[in-house]
Amino acid sequence: MTSERNIQEKMRLLKCAVMIPTYNNAGTICHVIEGVKAYCRDIIVIDDGSTDATPQLLDGVEGIIRTGYTPNRGKGRAIRCGLKCAAQHGFDYVISIDADGQHYPDDIPSFVEELERSPESLIIGARSLTAENMPSKNTFANKFSNFWYHFETGQRLEDTQSGFRLYPVRALSKMHFFTSRYEFEVEVIVRAAWRGIEVKNIPIKVYYPPEGERVTHFRPGVDFTRISILNTCLVTYALLIYYPFRFLKWLRWENVKGFIDRHIIHSKESNHLMALSVAWGVLWGMMPVWGWQGIVAVATGCFMKLNKVVTFAATNISVPPMIPLILYGGYALGGVILGLPITISFRDITWESLAGSLVQYGVGSVVLAVAAALIVYPLCRLLFRIFKRNMKES
C-alpha cells in the first residue's frame, strides 16, 4: 500500500490523471476503474455513446470525473474529449488505459517513472507480441503500423498501436487533429514526432481473453481503410513537406561540413562512385516523381552499389525554395523541345490544355534532370579529387 500511495502522490505532484475511454464495456468498466484507483485518485471516464448498461454503472461510481456524448463517435473522439477535459481540470499529463480489461493498472507506476526521466514525452506501452491468445492479425497490424511510422518520422518504435499511453496534455493542446476513430492513435504519434515531442515505448503486460470472450469494436474493413487513407496523407506530407523542411533546418555550415568530412572526404569509395552517387540523386531529385524522389533514388542506387547516404542527400535539390525553379525550368524546356508556348495561363483551363501542359512539363523535366546530372557528375568528380588531394597534402 505504501508503494501505491507513493504513486498516487507522485501523480498528484506531476498533475497526471488517468483517462478511460469506454464504449459498451459494461462487463469490465467497473473492474478497470477499481484497479486504477489503487494508483491514481484523478480518473476521467469518457463515455463514447454507450448503448448498453455502461452509463447506469458509471452513475454508481464515485470519485471520478465523467464526461461523454451521444451518439458513438469513435475512440479517437473519446481520447480528444478526454485530453480537453484533462486540460480544463489543470492536468499536464494523462494516462489512457483501455476499458476492456486487457491492460494491467499495476503498469501505471512504470509510466510515472518514465515520465520523471523524460518529461514532455509521449509514452506508449509496448505489448509482448507473444502474449497468450494475442490474435495473429494484431501482430501483423502492429508491424505494418510500425513500418509506416518509421517511414513517416524516421524514428523506430516496437509498438505503435497500444492504447495504454501517457499523453503530454499541454504539448498536444496546441495541435488540431483531424481524425476521430482508431486512426487517431496513429495520427497523434506521427504528428507529435513531427512537432519534436519525444515518442517512446516502455514494456507492459497485456491480457487477451479467449476468442469466444473477446470484445472488440474494431471493424477490420472500415477502420483499416481509414488508417490506410490516413497513412497515405501522412506519407505525402512527410515526403513533400516534413523531410524537405527538416533538411533545410539541418542545412547549417557546421552540419554540411561534418557531412562532407564523414561521407565524402574520408570515404573509401572512389571519386567516380561518389560523383555518380551525387549525380544520381540530383537526377531523381528533379524527375517528375514528386514525393518519391528519395525512395526511387536510393532503391535504384542500391542495385548500382552507390553511396546511399550521399544519393539521398543529393535528392534534396528539390527543397521548397528550388521547387518553383525546377517546375518552371522543366515546363519551359518542354515548350522549347515540343515547340509549344511557354506562357502560363489559368484562364479557360480544360482537361485537354491541362493534359498538354503536363506532357510539356514531363518531357522538359526529364531532359532537365538528365542535363543537370551530366553537368553535376564531372564537376563533383573534379571537386572530390581536389578535396582529397588537399587533405593528403595537409
Side-chain angles (χ1 to χ4, degrees):
M1 288 297 293
T2 302
S3 175
E4 293 174 356
R5 288 199 189 96
N6 286 342
I7 293 299
Q8 289 177 351
E9 291 304 317
K10 280 187 177 182
M11 294 191 73
R12 269 288 170 88
L13 292 173
L14 291 167
K15 297 182 179 180
C16 181
V18 171
M19 71 174 176
I20 309 174
T22 181
Y23 172 61
N24 289 353
N25 297 117
T28 54
I29 184 62
C30 291
H31 178 71
V32 172
I33 293 174
E34 288 304 312
V36 170
K37 280 185 175 181
Y39 301 94
C40 182
R41 302 171 189 170
D42 302 301
I43 303 173
I44 303 170
V45 180
I46 309 98
D47 183 4
D48 183 24
S50 295
T51 56
D52 64 355
T54 298
Q56 290 74 31
L57 291 172
L58 293 177
D59 288 339
V61 179
E62 297 181 354
I64 63 172
I65 301 170
R66 182 177 170 184
T67 185
Y69 43 79
T70 55
N72 171 260
R73 298 180 186 174
K75 186 179 182 182
R77 179 69 67 179
I79 295 174
R80 289 167 58 181
C81 179
L83 291 171
K84 183 178 180 180
C85 181
Q88 291 172 344
H89 283 80
F91 295 108
D92 292 337
Y93 306 96
V94 66
I95 296 174
S96 176
I97 184 170
D98 286 352
D100 59 5
Q102 69 169 282
H103 299 143
Y104 289 82
D106 62 9
D107 278 325
I108 290 175
S110 299
F111 284 90
V112 176
E113 291 170 7
E114 190 61 38
L115 174 61
E116 290 180 312
R117 287 191 291 265
S118 305
E120 302 301 324
S121 296
L122 195 162
I123 306 167
I124 304 174
R127 303 160 295 176
S128 170
L129 297 182
T130 59
E132 186 178 1
N133 295 323
M134 185 170 191
S136 57
K137 61 183 180 181
N138 286 31
T139 302
F140 169 77
N142 191 52
K143 291 180 179 179
F144 182 83
S145 180
N146 293 351
F147 168 80
W148 285 114
Y149 175 81
H150 174 61
F151 189 96
E152 290 153 4
T153 66
Q155 303 173 17
R156 292 189 183 275
L157 289 175
E158 299 174 24
D159 191 345
T160 54
Q161 291 197 314
S162 172
F164 204 174
R165 305 178 172 196
L166 184 146
Y167 291 103
V169 175
R170 287 182 300 175
L172 297 180
S173 65
K174 303 173 184 177
M175 301 170 62
H176 178 71
F177 297 101
F178 304 100
T179 55
S180 61
R181 294 193 177 273
Y182 282 101
E183 69 273 16
F184 171 81
E185 291 182 312
V186 175
E187 181 192 5
V188 66
I189 60 174
V190 171
R191 294 186 57 199
W194 288 347
R195 280 289 186 97
I197 298 171
E198 184 180 16
V199 182
K200 60 196 311 183
N201 283 137
I202 61 169
I204 60 167
K205 303 181 293 295
V206 65
Y207 168 72
Y208 285 101
E211 189 170 351
E213 303 174 18
R214 195 172 301 150
V215 177
T216 177
H217 302 298
F218 185 84
R219 302 163 298 173
V222 175
D223 289 319
F224 189 76
T225 299
R226 293 173 69 100
I227 292 172
S228 298
I229 293 172
L230 172 65
N231 275 319
T232 300
C233 295
L234 294 175
V235 166
T236 302
Y237 183 91
L239 293 173
L240 294 181
I241 299 176
Y242 173 66
Y243 283 119
F245 274 97
R246 193 171 76 166
F247 175 75
L248 286 177
K249 188 176 180 180
W250 173 88
L251 202 60
R252 298 193 300 270
W253 170 242
E254 58 268 23
N255 291 333
V256 175
K257 184 179 179 182
F259 178 87
I260 293 173
D261 185 65
R262 288 192 307 273
H263 297 286
I264 296 178
I265 295 179
H266 288 92
S267 173
K268 296 180 181 179
E269 294 168 332
S270 67
N271 293 338
H272 160 70
L273 194 64
M274 294 298 291
L276 188 59
S277 298
V278 176
W280 194 250
V282 168
L283 172 72
W284 284 106
M286 298 178 67
M287 279 285 194
V289 288
W290 293 98
W292 299 94
Q293 294 101 324
I295 298 174
V296 176
V298 172
T300 54
C302 286
F303 291 102
M304 300 168 64
K305 298 182 179 180
L306 301 180
N307 186 307
K308 295 185 287 294
V309 175
V310 172
T311 299
F312 181 79
T315 63
N316 284 286
I317 190 173
S318 59
V319 291
M322 291 291 295
I323 289 175
L325 297 176
I326 294 173
L327 290 174
Y328 181 76
Y331 182 78
L333 185 57
V336 172
I337 295 171
L338 299 176
L340 298 173
I342 301 175
T343 57
I344 299 176
S345 174
F346 295 99
R347 294 189 302 176
D348 301 324
I349 295 179
T350 63
W351 287 112
E352 184 178 356
S353 64
L354 183 60
S357 296
L358 289 175
V359 170
Q360 179 176 335
Y361 160 70
V363 171
S365 62
V366 170
V367 174
L368 181 64
V370 172
L374 292 175
I375 294 172
V376 165
Y377 171 77
L379 180 62
C380 285
R381 187 165 183 174
L382 176 62
L383 290 174
F384 294 156
R385 183 178 180 182
I386 294 172
F387 284 151
K388 290 185 178 181
R389 178 189 299 169
N390 290 342
M391 184 188 70
K392 291 178 180 179
E393 292 177 353
S394 60

mmCIF file of all heavy atoms in Angstrom, residues 127-139 142 159 206 208 214:
data_model
loop_
_atom_site.group_PDB
_atom_site.id
_atom_site.type_symbol
_atom_site.label_atom_id
_atom_site.label_comp_id
_atom_site.label_asym_id
_atom_site.label_seq_id
_atom_site.Cartn_x
_atom_site.Cartn_y
_atom_site.Cartn_z
ATOM 1 N N ARG A 127 3.445 -3.866 -25.993
ATOM 2 C CA ARG A 127 2.941 -5.182 -25.632
ATOM 3 C C ARG A 127 3.879 -6.273 -26.138
ATOM 4 O O ARG A 127 4.575 -6.091 -27.126
ATOM 5 C CB ARG A 127 1.554 -5.390 -26.252
ATOM 6 C CG ARG A 127 0.537 -4.348 -25.867
ATOM 7 C CD ARG A 127 -0.611 -4.311 -26.863
ATOM 8 N NE ARG A 127 -0.161 -3.876 -28.186
ATOM 9 C CZ ARG A 127 -0.934 -3.824 -29.256
ATOM 10 N NH1 ARG A 127 -2.206 -4.197 -29.174
ATOM 11 N NH2 ARG A 127 -0.457 -3.422 -30.416
ATOM 12 N N SER A 128 3.865 -7.403 -25.468
ATOM 13 C CA SER A 128 4.603 -8.559 -25.953
ATOM 14 C C SER A 128 3.818 -9.190 -27.093
ATOM 15 O O SER A 128 2.641 -9.538 -26.934
ATOM 16 C CB SER A 128 4.805 -9.578 -24.830
ATOM 17 O OG SER A 128 5.318 -10.798 -25.357
ATOM 18 N N LEU A 129 4.446 -9.318 -28.244
ATOM 19 C CA LEU A 129 3.756 -9.880 -29.404
ATOM 20 C C LEU A 129 3.577 -11.390 -29.289
ATOM 21 O O LEU A 129 2.961 -12.023 -30.150
ATOM 22 C CB LEU A 129 4.527 -9.534 -30.683
ATOM 23 C CG LEU A 129 4.635 -8.031 -30.995
ATOM 24 C CD1 LEU A 129 5.372 -7.816 -32.302
ATOM 25 C CD2 LEU A 129 3.266 -7.386 -31.043
ATOM 26 N N THR A 130 4.143 -11.963 -28.209
ATOM 27 C CA THR A 130 3.974 -13.402 -27.990
ATOM 28 C C THR A 130 3.021 -13.665 -26.833
ATOM 29 O O THR A 130 2.973 -14.767 -26.291
ATOM 30 C CB THR A 130 5.335 -14.060 -27.703
ATOM 31 O OG1 THR A 130 5.923 -13.446 -26.541
ATOM 32 C CG2 THR A 130 6.272 -13.911 -28.885
ATOM 33 N N ALA A 131 2.255 -12.625 -26.433
ATOM 34 C CA ALA A 131 1.322 -12.786 -25.313
ATOM 35 C C ALA A 131 0.293 -13.865 -25.630
ATOM 36 O O ALA A 131 -0.105 -14.064 -26.784
ATOM 37 C CB ALA A 131 0.616 -11.465 -25.029
ATOM 38 N N GLU A 132 -0.152 -14.564 -24.585
ATOM 39 C CA GLU A 132 -1.124 -15.636 -24.750
ATOM 40 C C GLU A 132 -2.426 -15.110 -25.352
ATOM 41 O O GLU A 132 -2.930 -14.068 -24.950
ATOM 42 C CB GLU A 132 -1.409 -16.282 -23.390
ATOM 43 C CG GLU A 132 -2.302 -17.499 -23.469
ATOM 44 C CD GLU A 132 -2.535 -18.135 -22.117
ATOM 45 O OE1 GLU A 132 -2.003 -17.600 -21.120
ATOM 46 O OE2 GLU A 132 -3.243 -19.154 -22.059
ATOM 47 N N ASN A 133 -2.931 -15.823 -26.329
ATOM 48 C CA ASN A 133 -4.195 -15.504 -27.008
ATOM 49 C C ASN A 133 -4.127 -14.239 -27.865
ATOM 50 O O ASN A 133 -5.160 -13.777 -28.363
ATOM 51 C CB ASN A 133 -5.350 -15.340 -26.004
ATOM 52 C CG ASN A 133 -5.666 -16.626 -25.276
ATOM 53 O OD1 ASN A 133 -5.608 -17.701 -25.855
ATOM 54 N ND2 ASN A 133 -6.004 -16.515 -23.997
ATOM 55 N N MET A 134 -2.941 -13.671 -28.072
ATOM 56 C CA MET A 134 -2.870 -12.476 -28.917
ATOM 57 C C MET A 134 -3.195 -12.868 -30.359
ATOM 58 O O MET A 134 -2.538 -13.756 -30.924
ATOM 59 C CB MET A 134 -1.494 -11.824 -28.861
ATOM 60 C CG MET A 134 -1.428 -10.505 -29.633
ATOM 61 S SD MET A 134 0.108 -9.600 -29.335
ATOM 62 C CE MET A 134 -0.277 -8.021 -30.096
ATOM 63 N N PRO A 135 -4.191 -12.237 -30.985
ATOM 64 C CA PRO A 135 -4.561 -12.589 -32.359
ATOM 65 C C PRO A 135 -3.413 -12.342 -33.337
ATOM 66 O O PRO A 135 -2.706 -11.334 -33.230
ATOM 67 C CB PRO A 135 -5.744 -11.652 -32.657
ATOM 68 C CG PRO A 135 -6.248 -11.220 -31.308
ATOM 69 C CD PRO A 135 -5.047 -11.189 -30.424
ATOM 70 N N SER A 136 -3.231 -13.252 -34.270
ATOM 71 C CA SER A 136 -2.150 -13.120 -35.250
ATOM 72 C C SER A 136 -2.323 -11.863 -36.096
ATOM 73 O O SER A 136 -1.351 -11.241 -36.506
ATOM 74 C CB SER A 136 -2.095 -14.352 -36.152
ATOM 75 O OG SER A 136 -3.340 -14.547 -36.810
ATOM 76 N N LYS A 137 -3.590 -11.473 -36.342
ATOM 77 C CA LYS A 137 -3.825 -10.271 -37.148
ATOM 78 C C LYS A 137 -3.339 -9.021 -36.416
ATOM 79 O O LYS A 137 -2.960 -8.030 -37.039
ATOM 80 C CB LYS A 137 -5.303 -10.143 -37.504
ATOM 81 C CG LYS A 137 -6.237 -10.003 -36.302
ATOM 82 C CD LYS A 137 -7.691 -9.948 -36.735
ATOM 83 C CE LYS A 137 -8.627 -9.818 -35.534
ATOM 84 N NZ LYS A 137 -10.049 -9.795 -35.941
ATOM 85 N N ASN A 138 -3.340 -9.050 -35.077
ATOM 86 C CA ASN A 138 -2.828 -7.912 -34.308
ATOM 87 C C ASN A 138 -1.321 -7.765 -34.500
ATOM 88 O O ASN A 138 -0.799 -6.660 -34.594
ATOM 89 C CB ASN A 138 -3.139 -8.079 -32.823
ATOM 90 C CG ASN A 138 -4.598 -7.828 -32.506
ATOM 91 O OD1 ASN A 138 -5.465 -8.085 -33.335
ATOM 92 N ND2 ASN A 138 -4.879 -7.327 -31.314
ATOM 93 N N THR A 139 -0.628 -8.903 -34.534
ATOM 94 C CA THR A 139 0.823 -8.876 -34.736
ATOM 95 C C THR A 139 1.156 -8.277 -36.090
ATOM 96 O O THR A 139 2.037 -7.419 -36.212
ATOM 97 C CB THR A 139 1.392 -10.300 -34.647
ATOM 98 O OG1 THR A 139 1.055 -10.855 -33.377
ATOM 99 C CG2 THR A 139 2.902 -10.288 -34.799
ATOM 100 N N ASN A 142 0.383 -4.509 -36.173
ATOM 101 C CA ASN A 142 1.355 -3.710 -35.443
ATOM 102 C C ASN A 142 2.643 -3.530 -36.246
ATOM 103 O O ASN A 142 3.203 -2.435 -36.311
ATOM 104 C CB ASN A 142 1.666 -4.362 -34.099
ATOM 105 C CG ASN A 142 2.466 -3.447 -33.194
ATOM 106 O OD1 ASN A 142 2.103 -2.301 -32.967
ATOM 107 N ND2 ASN A 142 3.583 -3.955 -32.696
ATOM 108 N N ASP A 159 6.042 -0.771 -30.674
ATOM 109 C CA ASP A 159 4.582 -0.905 -30.676
ATOM 110 C C ASP A 159 3.971 0.476 -30.875
ATOM 111 O O ASP A 159 4.150 1.366 -30.055
ATOM 112 C CB ASP A 159 4.114 -1.506 -29.349
ATOM 113 C CG ASP A 159 2.636 -1.914 -29.371
ATOM 114 O OD1 ASP A 159 1.911 -1.490 -30.287
ATOM 115 O OD2 ASP A 159 2.221 -2.661 -28.461
ATOM 116 N N VAL A 206 -0.051 -7.486 -21.061
ATOM 117 C CA VAL A 206 -1.333 -7.388 -21.749
ATOM 118 C C VAL A 206 -2.081 -8.703 -21.596
ATOM 119 O O VAL A 206 -1.468 -9.780 -21.556
ATOM 120 C CB VAL A 206 -1.139 -7.041 -23.247
ATOM 121 C CG1 VAL A 206 -0.422 -8.164 -23.979
ATOM 122 C CG2 VAL A 206 -2.480 -6.743 -23.913
ATOM 123 N N TYR A 208 -5.217 -10.938 -23.219
ATOM 124 C CA TYR A 208 -6.201 -11.156 -24.272
ATOM 125 C C TYR A 208 -7.068 -12.346 -23.869
ATOM 126 O O TYR A 208 -6.565 -13.469 -23.734
ATOM 127 C CB TYR A 208 -5.527 -11.450 -25.616
ATOM 128 C CG TYR A 208 -4.939 -10.227 -26.262
ATOM 129 C CD1 TYR A 208 -3.570 -9.969 -26.195
ATOM 130 C CD2 TYR A 208 -5.747 -9.319 -26.932
ATOM 131 C CE1 TYR A 208 -3.026 -8.838 -26.777
ATOM 132 C CE2 TYR A 208 -5.216 -8.185 -27.525
ATOM 133 C CZ TYR A 208 -3.854 -7.951 -27.439
ATOM 134 O OH TYR A 208 -3.319 -6.823 -28.014
ATOM 135 N N ARG A 214 -13.769 -12.483 -26.222
ATOM 136 C CA ARG A 214 -13.147 -11.221 -26.627
ATOM 137 C C ARG A 214 -14.183 -10.230 -27.139
ATOM 138 O O ARG A 214 -15.073 -10.590 -27.912
ATOM 139 C CB ARG A 214 -12.106 -11.502 -27.703
ATOM 140 C CG ARG A 214 -11.123 -10.374 -27.974
ATOM 141 C CD ARG A 214 -10.047 -10.867 -28.919
ATOM 142 N NE ARG A 214 -9.341 -12.012 -28.343
ATOM 143 C CZ ARG A 214 -8.792 -12.978 -29.062
ATOM 144 N NH1 ARG A 214 -8.888 -12.966 -30.372
ATOM 145 N NH2 ARG A 214 -8.173 -13.976 -28.461
#
